[in-house]
Structures are given as structure tokens and as C-alpha cells.
Amino acid sequence: MTKVTFYGHACFTLEKEGTTIIFDPFLDGNPLSPSKSEDIKADYILLTHWHVDHLGDTFKIAKKQGATVVSTFEMAKACEARGMKAHTMHLGGKHSFDFGYVRVTPAFHGSGIPGGHACGFIVKFFDHIIYHTGDTCLFSDMKLMGELEKVDLAMVPIGDNFTMGISDATMAVEMINPKVVIPMHYNTFPVIECDPQDFKAEVEKATESQAVILAPGESYHLSL
Ligand code: NI
Ligand code: MN
């Protein structure tokens, strides 16, 4: 069983058999997160882009715990240059790790670092396939992602303004076709306020997927 915990915004951990992955560790500055960076133990940090609401506490967690940062070239190199362990990847690349593998997916968004590229991740974490789209607009190759990988769990942004909003995110779910979807990137700041129940209602009307809304600090057990 994989334990998936939401910390608000785009920050999640996946935990199983003593291995922990954290996506976009925005904790200390995250008004929604009940946990702080010092509460988190992680082996890998999967970083989608360098904006402060995603980079978050990457440096603290990577330096204190020796966690490996996995990201696209410029971001991974910038972490290495600051003395952190990093694994450099890029769009379309797949690499095996002790928990399974990581496939780097495109995301249409600024990287926040010169020459860099924002991304999403499809992770095979032990027995499950998890797709964290990162900050992105809707794009039709999400259908391709759903064909490349049988996604058990997707995390998609719904807060609009900087990313997809609820109706675009519903189309994303239709294309990815995950068993379960958890909405993210909403209600952290006034400009991305929305009601995740509206997303759940739209998804469950339009698709076969189940939408699970997690309060910050709450966990979901993947046992599909
Ligand atoms: Ni961003
Ligand atoms: Mn963001």
C-alpha cells in the first residue's frame, strides 16, 4: 500500500517500504501546510519548476537529509552547484530508481530558471503509476501520456489563473484516464481560490475517474 499525503498547493509525498518521494516541497512558506520542512523525511525530491511555490524547501531538505533532487537539466545542475545530490533528466526521458522509474513529462509553464524547462512526472512507485502534471495548461498530449502509462493516480492543478482551471482540468482527466485524481494548486492564494467539490462533481459526471479531495495534511492510501 502506498501512502499519498497532500500538504496543500502542489506538494505531496509518496511513501512505501521506507522510501519517500516528495513533489515540490513547498512547506515552510505554504500557508496551507500543517507540516514544516523539518517534519519531512525524504529520499527523493521531484521538482517540477523553480517558482518559489514549488522549489519551496528543496535546499533545506536536500542538504539536511541528502535527498536526491530529480529535475530537468538546468534545475538539477543548479542544485548540484549548491552542493546537493541531483539526478539530471529531461522531457521524454525515463530512468530507473530503487522504487521503480521516473518519466519526465512536458508542462507548459515557465521554469523560473534561465534556459530551463518546467515539467511534470509520471512515477512508477512500486506497484502504482502516479502522474503529477506540474503547473501546466491543458494540452492534448495528455491523451498520449494516458496511452503510454496506465495511470492509477493523477494530481492536476485546478486553481486557474496560472494553470488549468476546473473545466480544463476535467478535460485533462478525461485524457489521462486515471483511476483516481486528486486536485491541487488551489486555495493557497486568493487568485487561485475555487471549490474542489465543483471539480469532483464535473469529473465524476464526465469521466470514469474517481476524484478524491484531500485537506492539507490528509493522506490517501493507494491499494488499487
Ligand atoms: Ni509556477
Ligand atoms: Mn505554481
Side-chain angles (χ1 to χ4, degrees), residues 49 51 53-54 109 135:
H49 64 294
H51 290 159
D53 55 324
H54 299 262
H109 195 79
D135 279 9

PDB file of all heavy atoms in Angstrom, residues 49 51 53-54 109 135, ligand 1:
ATOM      1  N   HIS A  49       9.433  22.753 -11.204  1.00  0.00           N
ATOM      2  CA  HIS A  49       9.988  24.024 -11.690  1.00  0.00           C
ATOM      3  C   HIS A  49      10.459  24.867 -10.520  1.00  0.00           C
ATOM      4  O   HIS A  49      10.262  24.500  -9.369  1.00  0.00           O
ATOM      5  CB  HIS A  49       9.022  24.759 -12.617  1.00  0.00           C
ATOM      6  CG  HIS A  49       7.732  25.224 -12.013  1.00  0.00           C
ATOM      7  ND1 HIS A  49       6.769  24.358 -11.561  1.00  0.00           N
ATOM      8  CD2 HIS A  49       7.232  26.475 -11.810  1.00  0.00           C
ATOM      9  CE1 HIS A  49       5.736  25.058 -11.106  1.00  0.00           C
ATOM     10  NE2 HIS A  49       6.002  26.341 -11.234  1.00  0.00           N
ATOM     11  N   HIS A  51       9.766  28.018  -9.551  1.00  0.00           N
ATOM     12  CA  HIS A  51       8.965  29.058  -8.888  1.00  0.00           C
ATOM     13  C   HIS A  51       8.917  28.747  -7.398  1.00  0.00           C
ATOM     14  O   HIS A  51       8.900  27.577  -6.997  1.00  0.00           O
ATOM     15  CB  HIS A  51       7.552  29.121  -9.477  1.00  0.00           C
ATOM     16  CG  HIS A  51       7.509  29.654 -10.881  1.00  0.00           C
ATOM     17  ND1 HIS A  51       6.464  29.415 -11.757  1.00  0.00           N
ATOM     18  CD2 HIS A  51       8.406  30.420 -11.559  1.00  0.00           C
ATOM     19  CE1 HIS A  51       6.725  30.025 -12.912  1.00  0.00           C
ATOM     20  NE2 HIS A  51       7.897  30.627 -12.820  1.00  0.00           N
ATOM     21  N   ASP A  53       6.769  28.700  -5.122  1.00  0.00           N
ATOM     22  CA  ASP A  53       5.704  27.855  -4.561  1.00  0.00           C
ATOM     23  C   ASP A  53       5.884  26.378  -4.932  1.00  0.00           C
ATOM     24  O   ASP A  53       5.039  25.543  -4.599  1.00  0.00           O
ATOM     25  CB  ASP A  53       4.308  28.357  -4.995  1.00  0.00           C
ATOM     26  CG  ASP A  53       4.138  28.486  -6.507  1.00  0.00           C
ATOM     27  OD1 ASP A  53       5.111  28.857  -7.202  1.00  0.00           O
ATOM     28  OD2 ASP A  53       3.021  28.212  -7.006  1.00  0.00           O
ATOM     29  N   HIS A  54       7.001  26.049  -5.588  1.00  0.00           N
ATOM     30  CA  HIS A  54       7.331  24.659  -5.951  1.00  0.00           C
ATOM     31  C   HIS A  54       8.726  24.285  -5.453  1.00  0.00           C
ATOM     32  O   HIS A  54       8.911  23.246  -4.835  1.00  0.00           O
ATOM     33  CB  HIS A  54       7.204  24.465  -7.469  1.00  0.00           C
ATOM     34  CG  HIS A  54       5.800  24.727  -7.919  1.00  0.00           C
ATOM     35  ND1 HIS A  54       4.885  23.721  -8.124  1.00  0.00           N
ATOM     36  CD2 HIS A  54       5.137  25.898  -8.106  1.00  0.00           C
ATOM     37  CE1 HIS A  54       3.717  24.265  -8.428  1.00  0.00           C
ATOM     38  NE2 HIS A  54       3.844  25.584  -8.430  1.00  0.00           N
ATOM     39  N   HIS A 109       4.674  25.896 -18.954  1.00  0.00           N
ATOM     40  CA  HIS A 109       4.768  26.798 -17.813  1.00  0.00           C
ATOM     41  C   HIS A 109       6.196  27.315 -17.791  1.00  0.00           C
ATOM     42  O   HIS A 109       7.092  26.662 -18.337  1.00  0.00           O
ATOM     43  CB  HIS A 109       4.452  25.988 -16.544  1.00  0.00           C
ATOM     44  CG  HIS A 109       4.172  26.822 -15.336  1.00  0.00           C
ATOM     45  ND1 HIS A 109       2.951  27.424 -15.124  1.00  0.00           N
ATOM     46  CD2 HIS A 109       4.939  27.144 -14.263  1.00  0.00           C
ATOM     47  CE1 HIS A 109       2.997  28.071 -13.963  1.00  0.00           C
ATOM     48  NE2 HIS A 109       4.200  27.916 -13.432  1.00  0.00           N
ATOM     49  N   ASP A 135       2.701  22.419 -12.858  1.00  0.00           N
ATOM     50  CA  ASP A 135       1.876  23.569 -13.268  1.00  0.00           C
ATOM     51  C   ASP A 135       1.815  23.533 -14.782  1.00  0.00           C
ATOM     52  O   ASP A 135       2.843  23.565 -15.451  1.00  0.00           O
ATOM     53  CB  ASP A 135       2.551  24.888 -12.859  1.00  0.00           C
ATOM     54  CG  ASP A 135       2.339  25.260 -11.411  1.00  0.00           C
ATOM     55  OD1 ASP A 135       1.808  24.438 -10.656  1.00  0.00           O
ATOM     56  OD2 ASP A 135       2.728  26.384 -11.040  1.00  0.00           O
TER      57      ASP A 135
HETATM   58 NI    NI B   1       4.670  28.054 -11.324  1.00  0.00          NI
END
